[in-house]
Amino acid sequence: MAMRVGVLAVQGAYQAHAARLKLLGAEPVLVRSAAELNDIRGIILPGGESTTMLRFLARDQLLQALTDFAAEHPVLGTCAGLILLAREVEPQQQSLGLLNVSVQRNAYGRQLDSAIIKGSTALSGGPLEMVFIRAPAITHVGDGVTVLAERDNQPVLVQQGHLLGCAFHPELSQDTRVHQLFLEGMGRGI
Amino acid sequence: MVATIPSNISRDERMRLKIGLAEMLKGGVIMDVCTAEQARIAEAAGATAVMALERVPAQIRAEGGVARMANPRLIQEIMEVSSIPVMAKARIGHFAEAQVLQSLGVDFIDESEVLTPADEVHHIDKHHFDTPFVCGARDIGEALRRVAEGAAMIRTKGEAGTGDVVHAVKHMRQIMADIQRVTSLREDELYVAARDYRVPVELLQQVAREGKLPVPNFSAGGIATPADAALMRSLGAEAIFVGSGIFMSDGYTYAPREEAEQRARAIVRACTHYDDPEIVAACSAECTGAMKGLAVAALEQHQWLQGRGE
């Protein structure tokens, strides 16, 4: 049976992530409430607007439910999802605080600064195509965090145990390696 | 702000970036704002983007006159206080206004029938811009003509500034029915359909293959309540625009701040939980008052904005 993997679907690129999961043989489950966290093996926090997502998380007790879930399950946070995962956010805003990094919102600029870049990565298979859209920057990497890809010597893909954080949009890339890495982690269990 | 996208990137890559931002807005609410203060309220309420303009459609309709691009000073003020994407409107065919908006660094340009058209024949050649465009449509022909010109997002036209959802519904149903029809055509029938719809056959073939528009499909034009948002999402809208419905009581009067905040929060929540009637009910109950509105059926056809730019 296909692995059931959640995608937070308050708002944002959840359809693109769901399509990518399907392509890789997993079964995407759209998550809008705490009850929907039952019976999934991991979750993707997609890109979108972190301010919008936070309003929903705070109101629906999802913040606590996601924190509890992430203690025991793999999580992939991309762009706004990375901001939700980060321990520290600039300018200051609430977050799950699980991934030991500092993140600066919109650090790579507005839409006119959005770009598709081939960057170096520790993942096997050569340079990684990375789609940056009004992207946040990882400004500080704390203990226990491994850098898996960089843009101009700045970390853009990081891993801390079963948590993956990504400043770009793997769901919009032709490269499927980030999702594969996430699914492999889930297959192993934590 | 100066564009930093190298000009040698392919049209294909540029289109991916434009559609990429539209993807980020799915499931959310884009709100019309006329002041920096309204932009703050919209962001705090959970808007995914704001549309900066001088007068909302209800005011334009009430006051008349030529409606143009907003003053760049106002747009910049709104950009300064917003951490979410900022959109702004250019007149149909007015590529000089669009160039101004791009030079300001806005994140999306709405080539909008709400403003007075600047060209009765041509739309803007949107492929020539790094800034993505959204355009209105009433059927698949209009939608795909705009996509052919480079639009990265389509929204229903509806009838802006009325607070009456009836034509947003009509246009979304039409577009969805058109898509359904196209997917049922034989390959050799697509050529004739492309001729009839006046669109490139390649785009029609793509719709037939994928069962959806080549770009995200949003809704606008008369959405005023949480239930309106839920209705449009249920009919297939991937996100919604709310214009006059949040900050206006009617074409001349702003709603009290607290009412506007309630409506903004409620519409955002209903848009995400559109398929859960209990939540939509709770959102509706949270609102005091709604835009008084203008029934579209009571308008003469020459008063419609939706006929502008086919």
Side-chain angles (χ1 to χ4, degrees):
Chain A
M1 218 177 66
M3 194 149 55
R4 288 168 57 85
V5 180
V7 183
L8 183 68
V10 162
Q11 177 280 316
Y14 55 88
Q15 283 177 351
H17 274 292
R20 183 53 55 91
L21 288 174
K22 245 185 228 165
L23 183 78
L24 294 173
E27 182 191 339
V29 178
L30 299 186
V31 173
R32 294 193 178 97
S33 69
E36 287 161 326
L37 290 171
N38 298 327
D39 204 27
I40 53 175
R41 297 279 292 276
I43 191 165
I44 295 176
L45 310 179
E49 290 305 320
S50 61
T51 50
T52 305
M53 294 182 200
L54 268 175
R55 281 207 61 83
F56 281 84
L57 299 191
R59 174 159 176 169
D60 297 330
Q61 285 85 46
L62 255 174
L63 209 55
Q64 189 56 49
L66 268 178
T67 308
D68 296 345
F69 181 83
E72 293 174 13
H73 300 86
V75 182
L76 165 63
T78 63
C79 198
L82 163 69
I83 297 170
L84 293 180
L85 272 183
R87 207 186 55 172
E88 195 178 40
V89 183
E90 256 180 285
Q92 208 267 328
Q93 68 182 34
Q94 208 177 4
S95 66
L96 296 172
L98 298 167
L99 186 62
N100 195 8
V101 297
S102 303
V103 170
Q104 190 185 350
R105 288 188 65 204
N106 299 329
Y108 287 107
R110 306 193 70 95
Q111 175 62 11
L112 285 176
D113 307 296
S114 293
I116 300 174
I117 283 168
K118 287 234 174 201
S120 62
T121 177
L123 304 179
S124 62
L128 187 63
E129 187 201 60
M130 303 184 282
V131 181
F132 290 88
I133 293 179
R134 288 175 49 94
I138 299 172
T139 52
H140 173 78
V141 174
D143 290 343
V145 178
T146 315
V147 176
L148 296 179
E150 290 185 336
R151 169 183 179 176
D152 302 330
N153 300 318
Q154 195 160 28
V156 290
L157 173 62
V158 296
Q159 183 168 32
Q160 175 190 321
H162 59 287
L163 305 176
L164 277 170
C166 193
F168 54 93
H169 291 282
E171 78 283 9
L172 301 180
S173 171
Q174 283 150 357
D175 200 309
T176 59
R177 280 179 285 170
V178 174
H179 284 87
Q180 278 169 316
L181 177 69
F182 174 59
L183 289 173
E184 280 162 19
M186 226 167 303
R188 279 198 305 273
I190 63 166
Chain B
M1 203 170 298
V2 180
T4 52
I5 296 181
S7 53
N8 62 353
I9 79 165
S10 69
R11 177 185 277 207
D12 194 43
E13 278 197 359
R14 191 144 47 153
M15 204 61 195
R16 282 174 66 200
L17 286 171
K18 292 175 176 181
I19 294 174
L21 181 56
E23 289 284 337
M24 299 308 139
L25 302 173
K26 280 186 177 175
V29 181
I30 300 148
M31 297 184 193
D32 278 2
V33 297
C34 298
T35 64
E37 185 59 14
Q38 289 181 354
R40 282 202 198 91
I41 293 174
E43 180 167 333
T48 51
V50 292
M51 175 78 71
L53 67 183
E54 254 163 57
R55 299 186 287 169
V56 295
Q59 289 169 299
I60 293 171
R61 193 178 276 290
E63 294 169 5
V66 176
R68 311 180 178 95
M69 171 186 81
N71 189 306
R73 256 186 325 215
L74 173 67
I75 296 170
Q76 281 169 322
E77 274 171 35
I78 289 170
M79 286 167 67
E80 271 163 32
V81 302
S82 303
S83 79
I84 56 180
V86 175
M87 303 186 173
K89 288 184 195 289
R91 283 179 265 176
I92 289 174
H94 206 316
F95 55 84
E97 281 188 350
Q99 284 162 355
V100 169
L101 294 176
Q102 174 164 276
S103 79
L104 296 176
V106 304
D107 298 294
F108 238 102
I109 297 171
D110 184 2
E111 187 182 18
S112 177
E113 71 283 1
V114 166
L115 304 185
T116 312
D119 193 316
E120 292 177 338
V121 180
H122 307 93
H123 277 71
I124 297 169
D125 181 353
K126 294 164 275 287
H127 288 295
H128 280 292
F129 289 78
D130 291 322
T131 306
F133 278 73
V134 50
C135 288
R138 293 174 296 177
D139 54 43
I140 200 171
E142 252 184 281
L144 293 183
R145 285 194 292 281
R146 298 296 87 78
V147 173
E149 295 156 2
M153 178 200 294
I154 292 297
R155 55 168 176 77
T156 57
K157 284 179 164 175
E159 192 51 41
T162 60
D164 186 347
V165 78
V166 65
H167 280 185
V169 168
K170 180 180 172 185
H171 300 159
M172 185 54 74
R173 280 198 187 269
Q174 184 65 50
I175 289 170
M176 299 312 274
D178 290 342
I179 292 172
Q180 198 67 44
R181 171 171 179 266
V182 167
T183 58
S184 70
L185 294 179
R186 286 162 47 104
E187 234 170 278
D188 57 1
E189 292 168 338
L190 286 172
Y191 297 97
V192 177
R195 184 201 64 194
D196 292 346
Y197 288 131
R198 295 184 286 138
V199 301
V201 71
E202 293 76 16
L203 287 178
L204 212 56
Q205 286 165 334
Q206 188 179 343
V207 172
R209 228 174 19 245
E210 297 174 357
K212 61 184 187 63
L213 293 182
V215 302
N217 181 15
F218 291 10
S219 182
I223 300 165
T225 68
D228 287 350
L231 176 64
M232 295 317 304
R233 292 274 278 131
S234 305
L235 288 173
E238 294 175 305
I240 61 163
F241 288 78
V242 181
S244 318
I246 289 174
F247 292 104
M248 302 303 292
S249 285
D250 57 42
Y252 299 97
T253 331
Y254 283 115
R257 183 190 168 117
E258 208 168 306
E259 268 185 34
E261 286 172 338
Q262 285 168 344
R263 286 188 214 166
R265 281 195 301 264
I267 291 176
V268 165
R269 193 163 161 76
C271 186
T272 290
H273 294 288
Y274 67 95
D275 55 358
D276 186 336
E278 282 181 25
I279 294 184
V280 178
C283 295
S284 308
E286 273 174 29
C287 298
T288 35
M291 182 186 170
K292 178 161 171 273
L294 268 174
V296 170
L299 295 176
E300 301 285 345
Q301 199 155 335
H302 69 83
Q303 295 173 295
W304 290 6
L305 304 176
Q306 60 185 267
R308 296 166 165 183
E310 293 193 299

PDB file of all heavy atoms in Angstrom, chain A residues 100-120:
ATOM      1  N   ASN A 100      16.912  23.857  14.116  1.00  0.00           N
ATOM      2  CA  ASN A 100      17.874  24.742  14.773  1.00  0.00           C
ATOM      3  C   ASN A 100      18.563  25.694  13.779  1.00  0.00           C
ATOM      4  O   ASN A 100      19.767  25.630  13.574  1.00  0.00           O
ATOM      5  CB  ASN A 100      18.896  23.873  15.518  1.00  0.00           C
ATOM      6  CG  ASN A 100      19.698  24.680  16.515  1.00  0.00           C
ATOM      7  OD1 ASN A 100      19.392  25.851  16.756  1.00  0.00           O
ATOM      8  ND2 ASN A 100      20.721  24.071  17.070  1.00  0.00           N
ATOM      9  N   VAL A 101      17.770  26.534  13.154  1.00  0.00           N
ATOM     10  CA  VAL A 101      18.304  27.531  12.212  1.00  0.00           C
ATOM     11  C   VAL A 101      17.614  28.879  12.429  1.00  0.00           C
ATOM     12  O   VAL A 101      16.524  28.937  12.997  1.00  0.00           O
ATOM     13  CB  VAL A 101      18.083  27.124  10.722  1.00  0.00           C
ATOM     14  CG1 VAL A 101      18.824  25.848  10.382  1.00  0.00           C
ATOM     15  CG2 VAL A 101      16.598  26.980  10.410  1.00  0.00           C
ATOM     16  N   SER A 102      18.284  29.937  11.953  1.00  0.00           N
ATOM     17  CA  SER A 102      17.639  31.251  11.906  1.00  0.00           C
ATOM     18  C   SER A 102      17.289  31.536  10.454  1.00  0.00           C
ATOM     19  O   SER A 102      18.067  31.222   9.551  1.00  0.00           O
ATOM     20  CB  SER A 102      18.577  32.347  12.408  1.00  0.00           C
ATOM     21  OG  SER A 102      18.990  32.048  13.712  1.00  0.00           O
ATOM     22  N   VAL A 103      16.127  32.119  10.251  1.00  0.00           N
ATOM     23  CA  VAL A 103      15.629  32.353   8.898  1.00  0.00           C
ATOM     24  C   VAL A 103      15.185  33.800   8.772  1.00  0.00           C
ATOM     25  O   VAL A 103      14.555  34.347   9.684  1.00  0.00           O
ATOM     26  CB  VAL A 103      14.444  31.407   8.604  1.00  0.00           C
ATOM     27  CG1 VAL A 103      13.754  31.793   7.310  1.00  0.00           C
ATOM     28  CG2 VAL A 103      14.911  29.962   8.525  1.00  0.00           C
ATOM     29  N   GLN A 104      15.535  34.411   7.645  1.00  0.00           N
ATOM     30  CA  GLN A 104      15.093  35.779   7.395  1.00  0.00           C
ATOM     31  C   GLN A 104      14.083  35.766   6.257  1.00  0.00           C
ATOM     32  O   GLN A 104      14.386  35.304   5.156  1.00  0.00           O
ATOM     33  CB  GLN A 104      16.292  36.661   7.034  1.00  0.00           C
ATOM     34  CG  GLN A 104      15.943  38.125   7.006  1.00  0.00           C
ATOM     35  CD  GLN A 104      17.111  38.972   6.517  1.00  0.00           C
ATOM     36  OE1 GLN A 104      18.232  38.475   6.375  1.00  0.00           O
ATOM     37  NE2 GLN A 104      16.853  40.232   6.254  1.00  0.00           N
ATOM     38  N   ARG A 105      12.892  36.283   6.527  1.00  0.00           N
ATOM     39  CA  ARG A 105      11.819  36.263   5.512  1.00  0.00           C
ATOM     40  C   ARG A 105      12.167  37.160   4.331  1.00  0.00           C
ATOM     41  O   ARG A 105      12.749  38.232   4.517  1.00  0.00           O
ATOM     42  CB  ARG A 105      10.495  36.733   6.111  1.00  0.00           C
ATOM     43  CG  ARG A 105       9.857  35.747   7.059  1.00  0.00           C
ATOM     44  CD  ARG A 105       8.465  36.230   7.450  1.00  0.00           C
ATOM     45  NE  ARG A 105       7.576  36.260   6.304  1.00  0.00           N
ATOM     46  CZ  ARG A 105       6.490  37.039   6.220  1.00  0.00           C
ATOM     47  NH1 ARG A 105       6.177  37.861   7.181  1.00  0.00           N
ATOM     48  NH2 ARG A 105       5.731  36.992   5.149  1.00  0.00           N
ATOM     49  N   ASN A 106      11.744  36.740   3.135  1.00  0.00           N
ATOM     50  CA  ASN A 106      11.888  37.532   1.908  1.00  0.00           C
ATOM     51  C   ASN A 106      13.311  38.049   1.675  1.00  0.00           C
ATOM     52  O   ASN A 106      13.500  39.073   1.026  1.00  0.00           O
ATOM     53  CB  ASN A 106      10.920  38.730   1.910  1.00  0.00           C
ATOM     54  CG  ASN A 106       9.456  38.286   1.963  1.00  0.00           C
ATOM     55  OD1 ASN A 106       9.106  37.231   1.451  1.00  0.00           O
ATOM     56  ND2 ASN A 106       8.616  39.088   2.580  1.00  0.00           N
ATOM     57  N   ALA A 107      14.294  37.329   2.218  1.00  0.00           N
ATOM     58  CA  ALA A 107      15.673  37.825   2.155  1.00  0.00           C
ATOM     59  C   ALA A 107      16.213  37.856   0.730  1.00  0.00           C
ATOM     60  O   ALA A 107      17.075  38.657   0.398  1.00  0.00           O
ATOM     61  CB  ALA A 107      16.574  36.965   3.031  1.00  0.00           C
ATOM     62  N   TYR A 108      15.711  36.970  -0.117  1.00  0.00           N
ATOM     63  CA  TYR A 108      16.175  36.970  -1.510  1.00  0.00           C
ATOM     64  C   TYR A 108      15.355  37.925  -2.380  1.00  0.00           C
ATOM     65  O   TYR A 108      15.447  37.893  -3.600  1.00  0.00           O
ATOM     66  CB  TYR A 108      16.137  35.548  -2.088  1.00  0.00           C
ATOM     67  CG  TYR A 108      17.233  34.644  -1.532  1.00  0.00           C
ATOM     68  CD1 TYR A 108      16.940  33.632  -0.633  1.00  0.00           C
ATOM     69  CD2 TYR A 108      18.559  34.823  -1.918  1.00  0.00           C
ATOM     70  CE1 TYR A 108      17.936  32.813  -0.126  1.00  0.00           C
ATOM     71  CE2 TYR A 108      19.564  34.012  -1.413  1.00  0.00           C
ATOM     72  CZ  TYR A 108      19.238  33.007  -0.520  1.00  0.00           C
ATOM     73  OH  TYR A 108      20.234  32.198  -0.017  1.00  0.00           O
ATOM     74  N   GLY A 109      14.517  38.761  -1.742  1.00  0.00           N
ATOM     75  CA  GLY A 109      13.863  39.836  -2.485  1.00  0.00           C
ATOM     76  C   GLY A 109      12.447  39.545  -2.926  1.00  0.00           C
ATOM     77  O   GLY A 109      11.835  38.554  -2.524  1.00  0.00           O
ATOM     78  N   ARG A 110      11.947  40.429  -3.779  1.00  0.00           N
ATOM     79  CA  ARG A 110      10.571  40.353  -4.262  1.00  0.00           C
ATOM     80  C   ARG A 110      10.496  39.410  -5.466  1.00  0.00           C
ATOM     81  O   ARG A 110      11.499  38.799  -5.846  1.00  0.00           O
ATOM     82  CB  ARG A 110      10.084  41.749  -4.652  1.00  0.00           C
ATOM     83  CG  ARG A 110      10.239  42.795  -3.563  1.00  0.00           C
ATOM     84  CD  ARG A 110       9.454  44.043  -3.890  1.00  0.00           C
ATOM     85  NE  ARG A 110       8.032  43.788  -3.779  1.00  0.00           N
ATOM     86  CZ  ARG A 110       7.318  44.045  -2.677  1.00  0.00           C
ATOM     87  NH1 ARG A 110       7.879  44.573  -1.617  1.00  0.00           N
ATOM     88  NH2 ARG A 110       6.027  43.775  -2.651  1.00  0.00           N
ATOM     89  N   GLN A 111       9.311  39.373  -6.110  1.00  0.00           N
ATOM     90  CA  GLN A 111       9.143  38.451  -7.237  1.00  0.00           C
ATOM     91  C   GLN A 111      10.166  38.691  -8.344  1.00  0.00           C
ATOM     92  O   GLN A 111      10.634  37.753  -8.979  1.00  0.00           O
ATOM     93  CB  GLN A 111       7.713  38.543  -7.786  1.00  0.00           C
ATOM     94  CG  GLN A 111       7.441  37.713  -9.038  1.00  0.00           C
ATOM     95  CD  GLN A 111       7.612  36.210  -8.824  1.00  0.00           C
ATOM     96  OE1 GLN A 111       7.741  35.737  -7.692  1.00  0.00           O
ATOM     97  NE2 GLN A 111       7.639  35.460  -9.914  1.00  0.00           N
ATOM     98  N   LEU A 112      10.540  39.961  -8.590  1.00  0.00           N
ATOM     99  CA  LEU A 112      11.507  40.229  -9.668  1.00  0.00           C
ATOM    100  C   LEU A 112      12.861  39.590  -9.387  1.00  0.00           C
ATOM    101  O   LEU A 112      13.672  39.407 -10.292  1.00  0.00           O
ATOM    102  CB  LEU A 112      11.675  41.735  -9.879  1.00  0.00           C
ATOM    103  CG  LEU A 112      10.518  42.439 -10.594  1.00  0.00           C
ATOM    104  CD1 LEU A 112      10.762  43.939 -10.650  1.00  0.00           C
ATOM    105  CD2 LEU A 112      10.340  41.886 -12.010  1.00  0.00           C
ATOM    106  N   ASP A 113      13.126  39.265  -8.120  1.00  0.00           N
ATOM    107  CA  ASP A 113      14.396  38.614  -7.769  1.00  0.00           C
ATOM    108  C   ASP A 113      14.261  37.093  -7.729  1.00  0.00           C
ATOM    109  O   ASP A 113      15.244  36.398  -7.456  1.00  0.00           O
ATOM    110  CB  ASP A 113      14.867  39.122  -6.400  1.00  0.00           C
ATOM    111  CG  ASP A 113      14.924  40.635  -6.359  1.00  0.00           C
ATOM    112  OD1 ASP A 113      15.727  41.199  -7.118  1.00  0.00           O
ATOM    113  OD2 ASP A 113      14.149  41.255  -5.604  1.00  0.00           O
ATOM    114  N   SER A 114      13.067  36.585  -7.966  1.00  0.00           N
ATOM    115  CA  SER A 114      12.885  35.130  -7.999  1.00  0.00           C
ATOM    116  C   SER A 114      13.729  34.545  -9.129  1.00  0.00           C
ATOM    117  O   SER A 114      13.926  35.195 -10.153  1.00  0.00           O
ATOM    118  CB  SER A 114      11.402  34.792  -8.219  1.00  0.00           C
ATOM    119  OG  SER A 114      10.646  35.185  -7.086  1.00  0.00           O
ATOM    120  N   ALA A 115      14.242  33.333  -8.927  1.00  0.00           N
ATOM    121  CA  ALA A 115      15.177  32.788  -9.923  1.00  0.00           C
ATOM    122  C   ALA A 115      15.242  31.271  -9.865  1.00  0.00           C
ATOM    123  O   ALA A 115      14.956  30.661  -8.835  1.00  0.00           O
ATOM    124  CB  ALA A 115      16.573  33.358  -9.672  1.00  0.00           C
ATOM    125  N   ILE A 116      15.599  30.678 -10.998  1.00  0.00           N
ATOM    126  CA  ILE A 116      15.866  29.238 -11.054  1.00  0.00           C
ATOM    127  C   ILE A 116      17.382  29.077 -11.143  1.00  0.00           C
ATOM    128  O   ILE A 116      18.014  29.630 -12.037  1.00  0.00           O
ATOM    129  CB  ILE A 116      15.175  28.583 -12.256  1.00  0.00           C
ATOM    130  CG1 ILE A 116      13.653  28.779 -12.153  1.00  0.00           C
ATOM    131  CG2 ILE A 116      15.517  27.098 -12.339  1.00  0.00           C
ATOM    132  CD1 ILE A 116      12.869  28.296 -13.364  1.00  0.00           C
ATOM    133  N   ILE A 117      17.937  28.343 -10.186  1.00  0.00           N
ATOM    134  CA  ILE A 117      19.393  28.268 -10.074  1.00  0.00           C
ATOM    135  C   ILE A 117      19.831  26.809  -9.976  1.00  0.00           C
ATOM    136  O   ILE A 117      19.143  25.986  -9.373  1.00  0.00           O
ATOM    137  CB  ILE A 117      19.836  29.046  -8.804  1.00  0.00           C
ATOM    138  CG1 ILE A 117      19.780  30.547  -9.089  1.00  0.00           C
ATOM    139  CG2 ILE A 117      21.212  28.634  -8.332  1.00  0.00           C
ATOM    140  CD1 ILE A 117      19.908  31.391  -7.873  1.00  0.00           C
ATOM    141  N   LYS A 118      20.971  26.492 -10.599  1.00  0.00           N
ATOM    142  CA  LYS A 118      21.564  25.166 -10.401  1.00  0.00           C
ATOM    143  C   LYS A 118      22.636  25.335  -9.346  1.00  0.00           C
ATOM    144  O   LYS A 118      23.602  26.079  -9.546  1.00  0.00           O
ATOM    145  CB  LYS A 118      22.169  24.653 -11.709  1.00  0.00           C
ATOM    146  CG  LYS A 118      21.104  24.234 -12.702  1.00  0.00           C
ATOM    147  CD  LYS A 118      21.347  22.811 -13.183  1.00  0.00           C
ATOM    148  CE  LYS A 118      20.169  22.393 -14.068  1.00  0.00           C
ATOM    149  NZ  LYS A 118      20.027  20.970 -14.183  1.00  0.00           N
ATOM    150  N   GLY A 119      22.442  24.679  -8.210  1.00  0.00           N
ATOM    151  CA  GLY A 119      23.388  24.869  -7.114  1.00  0.00           C
ATOM    152  C   GLY A 119      24.047  23.571  -6.706  1.00  0.00           C
ATOM    153  O   GLY A 119      23.580  22.486  -7.036  1.00  0.00           O
ATOM    154  N   SER A 120      25.153  23.707  -5.952  1.00  0.00           N
ATOM    155  CA  SER A 120      25.889  22.519  -5.522  1.00  0.00           C
ATOM    156  C   SER A 120      25.138  21.854  -4.371  1.00  0.00           C
ATOM    157  O   SER A 120      24.499  22.510  -3.555  1.00  0.00           O
ATOM    158  CB  SER A 120      27.292  22.910  -5.071  1.00  0.00           C
ATOM    159  OG  SER A 120      27.201  23.767  -3.965  1.00  0.00           O
TER     160      SER A 120
END
